[in-house]
Amino acid sequence: MPRTRHFGAVVAGAAVAAVAIGPVSAQAKTTITMSGSTSIAPLATKLARGYGKASFRIFQGGSDIGIADVSRGRVSIGNSSRDPQSSDPGGLQFNRVARDGVCIVTSPSNPMSSLSIQQVQAIFTGRVRNWSDIPGAKVSGTIDLVVRTPASGTQDAFQNIFLGQSLRVSSSASQKASNGLVQQTVRSNKNAIGYVSFDFAKGVSAVPYRGVACNLRNAKSGQYGGVRNFWMVTRGAPKGATKSFIDYVRSSRGQRIVASDWVPIR
Amino acid sequence: MASYAPAGGALAQARKGVRSDQRAELLLGALACLVLALILGMIVFVFTKAWPSFSANGLAWFGTGGDVDQQLTDIFNSPANPKAYVYELRAWPLLYGTALTTGGAVLVGLVFSVLAAIFIVEFAPERLQRLLEPVVLLLAAVPSVVYGLIGILVVVPLVRDAFISEERKESVQFVVQLDGSSLAVAVLILTVMIVPIMIAIIVDALRAVPRQWTEGAAALGVNRWRVMWTISVRAVRPVIVAAAVLATARALGEAIMLSMVSGSKGFAPNPIDGITFLLEPTRPLAATIVDNREGLSAVPLGQTIYAFAAVLLISSVFLSFAGWYMKRRLRHVAIYGGAG
């Protein structure tokens, strides 16, 4: 008797399982997986929602993680906010999908009218350490540098756009592990200056660079200098579902979504 | 079911029971061995990964010299050719930062939690006791990132406004920046994080002290405080050590919160600077691992990070042994694990 009941339970369990699995497998969509740059993740999420013809799993972790993941075939697309490097694994194709600005930001109580490339370099390398040495500063006292950790895409963009290869950020600068932490620190400290990805310039004062304001319009028109590329990296040329998604992102419909907060490529 | 079966059936059932006991024993034994193998495998794995960093630097790995953040940047920017990988690292500031934050928090936390536990067990009114104990347990379960958020949104700006004057900043401006996120905030929040679990453990132990001991002392005319201090606290010393070991382990491994409030700068705070010492930034090992997670795919940086992990792993192994040894030394007064 107990044995029969047991058997019945198994049958019932199997039936439930079959019913539960049935509809899922019937309407399964292709899944596109992504990992990589935390700067690209919000854009990728928006694009995925707009696309609708596939389901998405989007992980972050940083540009290098995205590149490593895609080269090992762990994800279909690796998101990178830094340009290709000679040390990247071979056989990858970098597909440009958008551009993004790096804004120099100061506290809202210390809005700056303009900084030149020389001033940016002098401040961030630690040659100038006091706000009274910067014409136009609304505060006095020491300059607090807020930068990103060396391995981040934003730091990479700032280094490449503003400092070049030979200069280095002052060793006394305080390093933050995310754009949000830089934004928060600069907002609450009137002596601070830092740099953030375009999306994080709200609530802080974005400094015009070479007299051009750091905003979307100037970045789109190419007047603003502090701009970098967003890449969706694939192993070899994109194929199948991945190809149709990247084609969509680069199409005018996809670029309209890019334009909501970022800089479209055309 | 067995009670309805005839005697022969019961015997068979019993025999079967023995066999299933043996089976369970084997199964549990296998599981225990699996855990052991897992731990061993992990240690071997981490050390294999970390080896290039240790072998390239030798004992100087643990020493001082240069700017550790710059060294990490250089390691990250190593060329692609494995023969040209950069490994040079002097990790002292990170080790020192770990020791300062962990040691500071455990010392402050130990004093605080012993006193709080005494209060809860002996002096708090019944109703307060019933309120305090669940609150302590609740605090012990708060995720560390919540403490980190409160730290960076509330405590850090407070410390900056209250303690960091322009003169103080200028006194060290060519060495390091003071912006509120500092050793003091790190120790403070770490203490808040580890104290609840210590209180909970010590309260349980104090409750388990045999009543005859404390009543006997009270009958001799000793006041409550002295009874608590000379009898109960002494009797639970091994438990206090165990609580300290557990708290140290948690403090050693804490990464996210410390990355947020410690200033996240590979700098060794200098005690010569007086009070400024407490306001200087630092960054412990675990926070360094989190901060550099984006660079894991750069092979030499990945190996260096494994080296940090190896040091943390070895520290916690040593910690366990030290705790075990101290508990053995204290066994003659213990109510747990021996003479009680």
Side-chain angles (χ1 to χ4, degrees), chain A residues 5 12 38 50 64 77 102 150 156 170 189 197 202 208-209 212 235:
Chain A
R5 215 185 303 146
T38 48
D64 283 288
I77 295 173
V102 178
D156 184 73
S170 161
N189 180 357
S197 217
K202 288 165 197 132
Y209 171 55
V212 183
R235 192 154 65 159

Side-chain angles (χ1 to χ4, degrees), chain B residues 326-340:
Chain B
M326 278 191 73
K327 269 201 276 188
R328 265 177 67 95
R329 292 283 313 270
L330 290 167
R331 201 151 66 173
H332 61 286
V333 291
I335 50 167
Y336 291 136

Side-chain angles (χ1 to χ4, degrees), chain A residues 64 129 142 145 168 171 188, chain B residues 160 166 169 177 265 297:
Chain A
D64 283 288
R129 289 173 185 270
T142 48
L145 296 176
R168 278 178 169 164
S171 65
S188 66
Chain B
R160 181 173 54 230
E166 199 51 42
K169 272 166 93 174
Q177 244 170 236
K265 170 104 199 66
S297 66

Side-chain angles (χ1 to χ4, degrees), chain A residues 61-62 64-65 68 87 129 141-142 144-145 148-152 168 171-173 175 177 181 184 188-189 191, chain B residues 67 69-70 73-74 76 80 152-153 160 166 169-170 173-175 177 179 264-265 283 291 293-295 297:
Chain A
D64 283 288
I65 288 181
S87 61
R129 289 173 185 270
T142 48
D144 290 340
L145 296 176
R148 291 291 316 278
T149 39
S152 75
R168 278 178 169 164
S171 65
S172 68
Q175 298 180 353
L181 284 174
Q184 163 58 31
S188 66
N189 180 357
N191 279 11
Chain B
D67 172 6
D69 283 338
Q70 190 55 54
T73 311
D74 291 341
F76 173 65
I152 199 157
L153 292 175
R160 181 173 54 230
E166 199 51 42
K169 272 166 93 174
E170 272 164 16
Q173 71 167 334
F174 289 98
V175 187
Q177 244 170 236
D179 66 356
S264 221
K265 170 104 199 66
R283 190 182 58 225
D291 279 0
R293 67 197 183 284
E294 283 190 76
S297 66

Side-chain angles (χ1 to χ4, degrees), chain B residues 52-105:
Chain B
S53 176
F54 287 129
S55 73
N57 290 292
L59 275 180
W61 195 95
F62 300 93
T64 57
D67 172 6
V68 68
D69 283 338
Q70 190 55 54
Q71 287 158 358
L72 284 172
T73 311
D74 291 341
I75 292 171
F76 173 65
N77 291 328
S78 288
N81 175 10
K83 287 203 177 94
Y85 280 168
V86 178
Y87 282 111
E88 196 192 322
L89 184 79
R90 303 287 177 263
W92 172 250
L94 310 177
L95 302 171
Y96 178 61
T98 313
L100 276 182
T101 47
T102 307

Side-chain angles (χ1 to χ4, degrees), chain A residues 4 65 74 80 82-83 93 98 100 124 130 153 163 169 176 183 193 195 200 207 215 221 227 235-236 257 261:
Chain A
T4 326
I65 288 181
R74 287 204 208 110
S80 170
R82 64 156 174 79
D83 291 352
Q93 178 169 330
D100 180 38
F124 277 91
N130 205 300
L163 297 189
V169 168
K176 302 290 169 198
Q183 183 192 29
I193 185 167
Y195 52 81
F200 291 85
V207 181
N215 60 35
S221 69
V227 163
R235 192 154 65 159
I257 296 178
D261 264 319

